[in-house]
Amino acid sequence: MKREKLNILQEKDLLVCMITSDRFCQDIIPVLTPRLLQIDYSRIIANWIKEYFSKFDSAPGKDILKIYRTKCSELNDEDLQENILSFIENLNDNYEKLVPSNVDYAISQSISYLKKLSLKNLAEEIEGGLASEEVEKAEDVVTKYRHIERGGSPSISILHDSERVCTAFTNESELLFEFSGARGKVIGKIHRGDFISYLSPMKRGKTWHLMDSAIEGMKNGLKVVFVSLEMTEDEMLKRFWTALSGQVMEDTDDVDYPYFEKIDTDSKKCYQIKYKSIDRKAVSVSEVRKKQKSLSRMFRGGDVRLIAGAGWSCEKLDSEIEKLVQSDFIPDEIVIDYADLLVCTKNVDYRNQLDYIWKYLRTMSLKRSCAIFTASQSNREGFATDLSESSISEDIRKIAHVTCMVGLNQSKTEKKQQIMRLSRLAIRGQSPEMRDALCLQCYSIGRPVLDSRFADEVIVENDRDILDEDEIEKKRRKR
């Protein structure tokens, strides 16, 4: 019986992951039946890897070439030998690029592929039994069918799966990165499956902080997708390039650059804010490519893909991400500027539309095994006071879906002093950090966070005239 053609690229990805990843092998090999694979050499290589893994409890890595040299004499078909050698040599030549960074997502995709193969094989055997009028044989095939599940079972026993319990505490592969300084303590470590949101009033730098989160991921070697629902591609490119290169629209020698200076003091406050004037060169078209190559080496394979997605729904967003996956760009981090602007396809009131959108994004972070960053706008009180959980506009249920929500606090005084305070409004699964992080910023060079210290460690020299303006504004609002 003729088999329906399946996605052969998935099968090649399966082999690459089996060769390069121990953890991938641990989950896939117990449920893999090599004879069901669609490509001739896939079945052979898969059997070699299973045999290797049973002996050494690890993926073969570049030893796959040694395995081939040992086993190739057993293959009578010269074309088959050549195809296998070509596949292995191409893998070894591009080994670092092909090693999966998002192993959990690769496992999920491969499990789905193996399920398709297994079900198609089941259907063929049932149809074959019915065609030969061997009904009992067809029924027996159904009875003996073994469902393919990750780890052999969809459930884990807390009392008996001791190895799995230990893995939950020791598995560092889920950790993606951590912001430096006090900001990192407030936001917490970033893991796969996290859903992080910034909260602030309008025009307070949500987009800058989302861009900085994308850049931080790229600096840590991650594949990042940045989706703007309100900016054009050119606007995004200008902002990102300025933040990465320090190059601006035109030459300037008077950019105010704030920095922390440590001082001798008997109190906990041991830092003061100083300012210096720095110069920046305009973007040079002739130097862009050279700068790109330099940054590529620095970021160890990290990259940011920019997408303008005005008017997109959650489903459209997911579909476009899947297109990137099919082109071999599997994101470790997705940044959405910002979630409230996504279009909801459900015919419900606006408040429940927002709840649907935030639930969808939370599910996407888990399904794609990546971290998702977004932002939300606070209510009007956020202009006059520091943010809290009650500052969330429209739907408080947003806070139930995130793993971390961070408030961006800034008075008029602090804005003129290039200061932003980050406060943790909610976090799941990490120890609480109640102190604010005081961040120095310089938007002229695209940097929302130059450095950060805890607010109770910094001496802030307030300008009395500016402070009076804030006090007058607060009194006016109270009246």
Side-chain angles (χ1 to χ4, degrees), residues 91 201 206-207 217 224 228 240 249 255 270 287 344 467:
L91 169 63
K206 292 187 292 292
T207 295
V224 185
S228 175
F240 269 96
M249 289 295 294
V255 174
C270 57
E287 293 181 3
C344 181
L467 186 61

Side-chain angles (χ1 to χ4, degrees), residues 3-8 10-11 14 31-39 42-43 110-124 145 148:
R3 291 179 187 261
E4 180 183 342
K5 188 177 180 180
L6 291 174
N7 188 348
I8 301 304
Q10 280 187 291
E11 193 154 304
L14 171 73
V31 297
L32 174 65
T33 305
R35 65 178 176 79
L36 297 181
L37 297 178
Q38 304 292 283
I39 309 173
S42 294
R43 296 190 285 272
S110 294
I111 289 289
S112 177
Y113 179 69
L114 293 177
K115 282 182 177 182
K116 290 179 185 178
L117 291 180
S118 182
L119 288 170
K120 286 182 180 295
N121 182 69
L122 174 65
E124 290 174 3
Y145 178 72
I148 293 178

Side-chain angles (χ1 to χ4, degrees), residues 199-453:
L199 177 71
S200 81
M202 66 180 71
K203 305 301 180 184
R204 188 170 283 179
K206 292 187 292 292
T207 295
W208 283 113
H209 280 269
L210 288 172
M211 290 174 61
D212 197 57
S213 299
I215 290 171
E216 193 67 29
M218 178 172 63
K219 287 180 178 178
N220 282 272
L222 304 182
K223 291 181 172 63
V224 185
V225 178
F226 185 94
V227 181
S228 175
L229 303 173
E230 55 183 356
M231 285 194 295
T232 65
E233 290 178 351
D234 284 356
E235 288 173 320
M236 287 189 286
L237 284 167
K238 287 175 184 177
R239 284 200 181 195
F240 269 96
W241 188 252
T242 296
L244 281 169
S245 68
Q247 297 173 333
V248 292
M249 289 295 294
E250 57 185 26
D251 289 346
T252 179
D253 58 0
D254 59 352
V255 174
D256 284 334
Y257 189 95
Y259 63 95
F260 290 115
E261 184 177 88
K262 193 164 187 178
I263 58 174
D264 292 329
T265 176
D266 294 332
S267 69
K268 188 176 183 180
K269 291 180 177 288
C270 57
Y271 294 97
Q272 62 181 1
I273 301 171
K274 296 284 189 177
Y275 298 85
K276 61 183 177 181
S277 183
I278 63 172
D279 63 286
R280 280 292 181 266
K281 297 295 183 183
V283 174
S284 171
V285 176
S286 62
E287 293 181 3
V288 167
R289 184 164 294 182
K290 181 180 177 181
K291 189 71 174 177
Q292 284 177 326
K293 289 182 179 179
S294 174
L295 291 171
S296 295
R297 289 192 295 269
M298 189 186 306
F299 298 154
R300 299 174 288 117
D303 192 11
V304 175
R305 298 288 178 90
L306 306 179
I307 303 176
W312 280 7
S313 65
C314 295
E315 291 78 8
K316 172 65 173 175
L317 170 65
D318 207 10
S319 173
E320 293 299 318
I321 296 296
E322 186 58 31
K323 288 180 183 177
L324 286 174
V325 170
Q326 295 303 321
S327 66
D328 211 26
F329 190 89
I330 301 174
D332 303 295
E333 178 186 348
I334 300 172
V335 183
I336 304 157
D337 183 24
Y338 56 96
D340 293 354
L341 297 177
L342 284 166
V343 175
C344 181
T345 55
K346 299 294 180 181
N347 186 23
V348 292
D349 62 83
Y350 182 63
R351 184 170 173 272
N352 282 306
Q353 286 179 6
L354 288 176
D355 186 56
Y356 170 82
I357 289 168
W358 285 67
K359 279 182 181 176
Y360 195 104
L361 295 181
R362 173 60 177 145
T363 302
M364 184 190 292
S365 71
L366 296 169
K367 180 183 77 171
R368 296 196 174 279
S369 190
C370 64
I372 290 183
F373 283 81
T374 192
S376 182
Q377 196 155 289
S378 69
N379 54 30
R380 291 182 180 180
E381 293 178 1
F383 285 103
T385 61
D386 283 355
L387 299 167
S388 66
E389 293 92 333
S390 61
S391 303
I392 299 173
S393 65
E394 304 294 348
D395 192 352
I396 192 67
R397 289 177 294 178
K398 292 175 185 176
I399 209 164
H401 304 311
V402 299
T403 55
C404 180
M405 183 167 280
V406 178
L408 306 180
N409 300 297
Q410 189 177 57
S411 67
K412 286 184 179 179
T413 305
E414 290 168 328
K415 185 174 183 178
K416 292 186 179 183
Q417 294 174 330
Q418 295 173 268
I419 295 171
M420 178 77 76
R421 283 178 296 108
L422 271 58
S423 61
R424 179 186 291 178
L425 304 182
I427 197 160
R428 181 181 300 169
Q430 297 186 41
S431 58
E433 176 53 71
M434 307 309 296
R435 294 179 292 173
D436 284 2
L438 194 150
C439 304
L440 301 181
Q441 56 187 202
C442 183
Y443 288 145
S444 298
I445 58 172
R447 299 287 299 280
V449 181
L450 297 168
D451 196 1
S452 63
R453 306 286 175 182

Side-chain angles (χ1 to χ4, degrees), residues 162-205:
S162 56
E163 184 176 341
R164 187 64 186 84
V165 172
C166 294
T167 302
F169 283 92
T170 59
N171 188 6
E172 284 298 316
S173 62
E174 301 301 311
L175 178 64
L176 293 176
F177 65 92
E178 182 177 7
F179 293 100
S180 61
R183 173 172 60 154
K185 301 300 181 183
V186 169
I187 297 177
K189 296 178 179 180
I190 310 302
H191 299 83
R192 295 191 185 278
D194 278 349
F195 182 24
I196 303 104
S197 174
Y198 296 105
L199 177 71
S200 81
M202 66 180 71
K203 305 301 180 184
R204 188 170 283 179

